[in-house]
Amino acid sequence: MTKQLSRYVNRDLSWIEFNRRVLQEAQDERNPLLERAKFLSIVSSNLDEFMSVRVAGIQDQMRAGLTKTDFTGYTPIGLWKRLIKRATNIVYEQYSTYRDVFSSLEKEGIIIHAIKDLNIVQRKAVSEYFHEIVYPVLTPMAVDQSRPFPLVHTRELYLAVLLKRDVDADDEETLFAIVQVPSILARYVPVPGRFNNKKLEYVLLEDVIQQYIDTLFNGYTPFSVNPFRLTRNADLTLNEEGAEDLLEEIEKELRRRRWGIPVRLEVAKGIHPLALETLREELEIEDNLFEIDGPMDLSFLLKFVNSLPGHDNLRYEKLEPVYPREFDETDNMFEVIRNRDVLMYHPYESFEAVNDFVLQSAYDPEVLAIKMTLYRVSGQSALVQALAKAAEAGKQVTVVVELRARFDEERNIAWARQLEKAGCHVVYGLVGLKTHAKILLVVRREQGTLRRYVHVGTGNYNDNTATLYTDIGLFTSHPIVGGDASALFNEVTGYSSPYEWKAFGVAPTDLKEKLYRLIDRERMNAIAGRKAHIIAKMNSLSNQEIIDKLYEASMAGVKIDLIVRGVCCLRPGVEGRSDNIKVISIVDRYLEHARVMYFHNNGDEEVFLSSADWMTRNLLKRIELICPVFDPALRVMLINMLKLNLNDNVKARELKSSGLYEHVSKENEKPFRSQFEAGLITLWKGQV
């Protein structure tokens, strides 16, 4: 008898399948070789975060003795076992792919050597590099009765060293030490090419240290050197209610993160049994052991690939984002936005337009106030500099900085202090809620009245990720949107009674209910025999109640197309429940990041932009917004974008009722790759 499928796909198992799709891009021989190496790096970075947050949380539940099943039918221990098994399989495939990719790169003249394969000239160069650059930074840390086991930092690379004394040949005692591979130095060390050829040749830093490890232990003989890496629980546990200063509380938690409970131990394949026993005992980690057959932590490949000169034939063709044509021939962005709404599609259109708008606002004498949210910003943010200039010019500048953006906490703290120093009003949001909405409001004096200019985005105000992620940005001076924007900032920065939103849906107050109403309206249209259609594009879908609403709509006859890049807990294609629902995921050159929703509404079509995925955390534990697009021409542009995604038959995978994904296959159809469609912006904006 066949086991009946659960109504839902488990969130964490779905995430594993997402990372498998990333790995498939590294395996896809249609992708340029250096881009395949980048995807290998992303697989590692993804797994690091997954282990340090999601798996760490499951282990916390196991330690607490929780045995209750989640809504997908898994107990913590049952889920943990499946996750580790699947993650282990992915790592095995990842390193098999690594060997394949670098075997092909070697034929192209890009080589990472083993030390034993170097010639005399190369060995001399490596020796000089070690003694002049590496040796001064190394610190051997012995472990004995007087020196306890040192702190092992999370996600840093170390060498476990077993030694014998040189003095007494009869002394059989084995000594143990660790050496951190300094992250301040590049993992890849260039060596002179053989016979002055044009090949790019390298060795790995840990191999260099291992080769000369004896120089760190005079009077001792290292007989086993084994790389290892520890991942700790990185989730912050904040007492926001009792914290007098949220910034100081987060700084304390960041320091505590260094001592987080060990979650995963990675060791080199073939590690000496005594070294492994010592690490397990000292780090107090019995399970979740990964034996790595190759260089540990392949996330270094991203920097490695980006540092390589030339070899453009092994990369994607360079994309130069175009400056939005609406602003291309004007020095007054306010005039353009006053006359019409403007939609931007990143990375095909340049994020510089957002920077320019804030900078123009900073210097415009008629601008009275600038308010915006910052969740993740780049290392050298032009926006932050522009906000500081605006404050110094005497304008009222209010910035809602989210200090709890995971793994960007320290950078955001630095920006918050810089903005405060410049005279900006910096707000850290509401207790218990992350501010994830992407919104910018400029208040300008015009002909004796005030006009509000608003930018709403689906992605962060980050000029780096705007070249790597697909996102949508909307500029508007629509008075209803402007009124809602002012009310939103008032709620976040001050005391404000519940507001009746005219255009927005805002989490956690009413966004979820607004989605319910929109989905139910399509359901009622279907029941009445009218055409009903929903298209929703997002990063993740995991909220049980929203999924149930979509099931209800499907059973009523609503056609539902979902474009979900990552986690999807909805199980499509189940007869009588979700057979009207199709789910695809697109993993390609750019990270699909836009959140866009379309509702047919009996022919009176509505389209929304949003900062929120359909996850419980976004709908109930964050400040998020959904904003309608009022301009009919812009709605058509967004519908065209959604159709481009739905027509992808090269990089789109379809979620099956089994919970697994299969490449979309459309027989007798010309290959269509939505991110690479020729003239995409022309097609999207309807230019001739």
Side-chain angles (χ1 to χ4, degrees):
M1 184 175 175
T2 305
K3 183 180 178 182
Q4 188 175 4
L5 291 172
S6 163
R7 285 172 61 90
Y8 314 96
V9 178
N10 179 269
R11 168 183 170 171
D12 296 304
L13 293 174
S14 179
W15 184 92
I16 288 284
E17 290 308 309
F18 160 65
N19 211 31
R20 189 181 301 280
R21 297 195 291 281
V22 177
L23 178 57
Q24 287 171 353
E25 290 304 302
Q27 296 167 335
D28 190 340
E29 295 181 358
R30 294 171 298 181
N31 291 332
L33 271 172
L34 291 178
E35 305 298 341
R36 292 172 64 189
K38 283 186 181 180
F39 279 112
L40 285 171
S41 169
I42 296 169
V43 170
S44 287
S45 299
N46 286 349
L47 267 176
D48 279 352
E49 182 168 348
F50 183 69
M51 289 289 172
S52 62
V53 178
R54 296 298 305 175
V55 173
I58 294 167
Q59 289 185 340
D60 285 344
Q61 293 175 10
M62 290 161 56
R63 274 189 290 272
L66 297 181
T67 57
K68 186 179 179 182
T69 59
D70 63 16
F71 76 92
T72 64
Y74 283 93
T75 62
I77 184 66
L79 178 58
W80 183 85
K81 287 178 179 178
R82 285 165 177 78
L83 290 176
I84 299 307
K85 183 178 180 180
R86 294 195 189 183
T88 301
N89 290 338
I90 281 183
V91 171
Y92 177 83
E93 282 187 51
Q94 181 190 18
Y95 278 87
S96 174
T97 307
Y98 168 83
R99 288 186 287 274
D100 177 52
V101 168
F102 273 82
S103 174
S104 299
L105 283 174
E106 189 167 338
K107 296 171 186 173
E108 299 287 344
I110 300 170
I111 307 166
I112 295 182
H113 285 295
I115 293 283
K116 65 182 177 61
D117 295 330
L118 300 180
N119 63 24
I120 294 174
V121 174
Q122 292 171 325
R123 283 175 178 267
K124 183 181 178 184
V126 168
S127 175
E128 289 175 356
Y129 180 79
F130 174 81
H131 288 96
E132 293 176 12
I133 305 297
V134 182
Y135 179 83
V137 225
L138 297 178
T139 303
M141 293 175 281
V143 178
D144 55 29
Q145 289 181 333
S146 63
R147 290 169 290 197
F149 201 88
L151 174 67
V152 174
H153 295 282
T154 186
R155 303 197 300 195
E156 294 284 350
L157 186 57
Y158 289 83
L159 300 176
V161 186
L162 297 177
L163 310 107
K164 296 280 190 183
R165 289 187 178 88
D166 291 342
V167 180
D168 188 349
D170 295 327
D171 188 351
E172 294 296 324
E173 183 184 5
T174 297
L175 304 171
F176 183 88
I178 67 172
V179 178
Q180 183 175 355
V181 177
S183 55
I184 197 170
L185 300 177
R187 280 280 299 280
Y188 41 92
V189 179
V191 296
R194 299 168 190 263
F195 311 112
N196 296 317
N197 62 26
K198 294 182 180 179
K199 291 182 178 179
L200 299 174
E201 302 183 48
Y202 301 86
V203 290
L204 292 176
L205 179 59
E206 60 266 32
D207 291 346
V208 174
I209 298 171
Q210 185 168 345
Q211 178 69 17
Y212 299 101
I213 196 76
D214 58 310
T215 62
L216 299 173
F217 300 98
N218 291 326
Y220 296 83
T221 299
F223 66 88
S224 178
V225 184
N226 305 275
F228 74 94
R229 187 168 177 264
L230 182 70
T231 305
R232 295 181 181 275
N233 186 327
D235 220 9
L236 298 183
T237 305
L238 295 173
N239 177 20
E240 293 186 49
E241 299 268 358
E244 293 183 12
D245 188 317
L246 182 59
L247 188 146
E248 287 184 6
E249 182 69 18
I250 290 175
E251 286 182 316
K252 288 179 189 175
E253 279 299 317
L254 288 175
R255 288 192 289 271
R256 290 189 200 113
R257 186 183 271 173
R258 300 173 191 169
W259 288 274
I261 294 173
V263 174
R264 171 186 60 169
L265 178 61
E266 297 169 275
V267 298
K269 186 177 181 181
I271 185 173
H272 194 287
L274 180 57
L276 179 57
E277 181 186 348
T278 304
L279 290 172
R280 279 186 147 172
E281 182 179 335
E282 295 291 348
L283 297 172
E284 298 181 352
I285 184 165
E286 287 298 321
D287 301 310
N288 210 358
L289 176 74
F290 285 75
E291 288 194 4
I292 305 299
D293 188 11
M296 211 163 287
D297 182 19
L298 293 183
S299 65
F300 81 90
L301 290 176
L302 187 61
K303 286 184 179 178
F304 174 71
V305 168
N306 288 338
S307 72
L308 293 174
H311 291 283
D312 289 343
N313 61 312
L314 303 180
R315 307 175 194 272
Y316 289 129
E317 185 177 343
K318 190 172 183 181
L319 172 82
E320 289 292 347
V322 298
Y323 201 80
R325 64 185 176 113
E326 295 88 346
F327 300 129
D328 206 19
E329 297 180 1
T330 182
D331 292 327
N332 189 339
M333 298 176 77
F334 294 109
E335 183 179 358
V336 173
I337 302 168
R338 185 164 59 248
N339 292 325
R340 59 167 297 187
D341 291 356
V342 176
L343 206 59
M344 295 185 301
Y345 192 4
H346 309 300
Y348 308 100
E349 293 183 289
S350 175
F351 189 77
E352 284 301 310
V354 180
N355 294 338
D356 290 346
F357 179 70
V358 178
L359 198 59
Q360 190 173 125
S361 301
Y363 287 110
D364 188 318
E366 301 304 319
V367 168
L368 305 180
I370 303 173
K371 302 181 181 185
M372 76 179 300
T373 59
L374 289 180
Y375 190 75
R376 297 187 196 274
V377 291
S378 63
Q380 300 294 326
S381 175
L383 278 176
V384 171
Q385 308 301 330
L387 291 169
K389 290 182 186 299
E392 289 163 0
K395 303 183 189 307
Q396 291 290 313
V397 180
T398 304
V399 187
V400 182
V401 178
E402 182 47 70
L403 297 178
R404 294 153 294 188
R406 187 176 287 130
F407 303 121
D408 276 343
E409 297 96 345
E410 292 182 63
R411 177 181 292 171
N412 285 6
I413 286 171
W415 283 133
R417 289 194 163 128
Q418 182 178 328
L419 289 166
E420 284 181 329
K421 193 177 292 185
C424 300
H425 300 294
V426 178
V427 179
Y428 303 134
L430 300 175
V431 171
L433 299 174
K434 282 187 180 181
T435 304
H436 193 251
K438 329 294 184 184
I439 185 167
L440 162 65
L441 169 66
V442 173
V443 181
R444 190 170 188 262
R445 182 171 46 213
E446 295 179 3
Q447 299 177 339
T449 63
L450 295 182
R451 185 184 293 271
R452 299 179 180 95
Y453 293 85
V454 177
H455 175 271
V456 173
T458 65
N460 296 309
Y461 289 111
N462 185 314
D463 41 16
N464 284 344
T465 57
T467 64
L468 304 171
Y469 298 0
T470 67
D471 270 308
I472 304 294
L474 171 69
F475 280 112
T476 182
S477 62
H478 197 294
I480 294 178
V481 174
D484 277 7
S486 287
L488 177 62
F489 279 105
N490 288 343
E491 285 202 356
V492 174
T493 64
Y495 296 108
S496 181
S497 299
Y499 180 77
E500 188 174 335
W501 306 103
K502 308 297 189 300
F504 289 175
V506 176
T509 52
D510 78 332
L511 193 155
K512 190 175 181 182
E513 284 67 29
K514 187 178 184 78
L515 292 174
Y516 282 178
R517 291 193 297 272
L518 292 168
I519 295 169
D520 280 340
R521 186 178 62 191
E522 295 300 312
R523 181 173 62 85
M524 296 308 295
N525 281 334
I527 291 171
R530 295 186 285 266
K531 181 179 178 181
H533 191 190
I534 297 170
I535 308 175
K537 176 182 172 70
M538 65 198 77
N539 298 322
S540 298
L541 167 59
S542 63
N543 180 263
Q544 182 182 1
E545 290 81 8
I546 290 288
I547 293 171
D548 287 342
K549 279 289 178 186
L550 292 171
Y551 285 158
E552 289 175 11
S554 170
M555 289 185 284
V558 179
K559 180 183 178 184
I560 301 173
D561 289 300
L562 301 175
I563 307 160
V564 186
R565 184 199 75 225
V567 169
C568 182
C569 295
L570 181 147
R571 195 181 294 278
V574 177
E575 186 176 353
R577 182 168 70 227
S578 58
D579 36 6
N580 287 317
I581 304 178
K582 178 181 178 180
V583 180
I584 67 166
S585 167
I586 296 173
V587 179
D588 203 346
R589 173 180 184 173
Y590 302 114
L591 184 83
E592 292 286 344
H593 194 256
R595 291 100 166 181
V596 182
M597 291 96 204
Y598 160 85
F599 299 88
H600 183 265
N601 191 27
N602 195 29
D604 187 13
E605 298 171 314
E606 290 190 335
V607 180
F608 299 83
L609 299 179
S610 182
S611 60
D613 293 314
W614 291 0
M615 304 177 73
T616 300
R617 71 182 188 190
N618 297 91
L619 301 174
L620 301 179
K621 299 177 182 179
R622 292 185 173 186
I623 297 172
E624 305 270 15
L625 67 85
I626 182 172
C627 176
V629 177
F630 288 119
D631 188 305
L634 300 192
R635 286 201 297 268
V636 170
M637 287 162 56
L638 288 169
I639 294 168
N640 285 343
M641 183 208 69
L642 293 172
K643 288 178 179 177
L644 284 173
N645 286 167
L646 291 172
N647 288 331
D648 194 307
N649 58 11
V650 177
K651 292 298 183 180
R653 285 92 162 169
E654 183 175 355
L655 175 60
K656 300 298 182 179
S657 58
S658 64
L660 302 178
Y661 287 77
E662 295 179 6
H663 273 92
V664 170
S665 177
K666 296 184 179 179
E667 292 183 11
N668 304 320
E669 283 193 15
K670 181 182 175 182
F672 186 90
R673 190 173 177 180
S674 59
Q675 289 192 4
F676 281 70
E677 181 59 23
L680 187 144
I681 285 298
T682 301
L683 179 64
W684 188 57
K685 290 210 164 181
Q687 301 175 41
V688 178

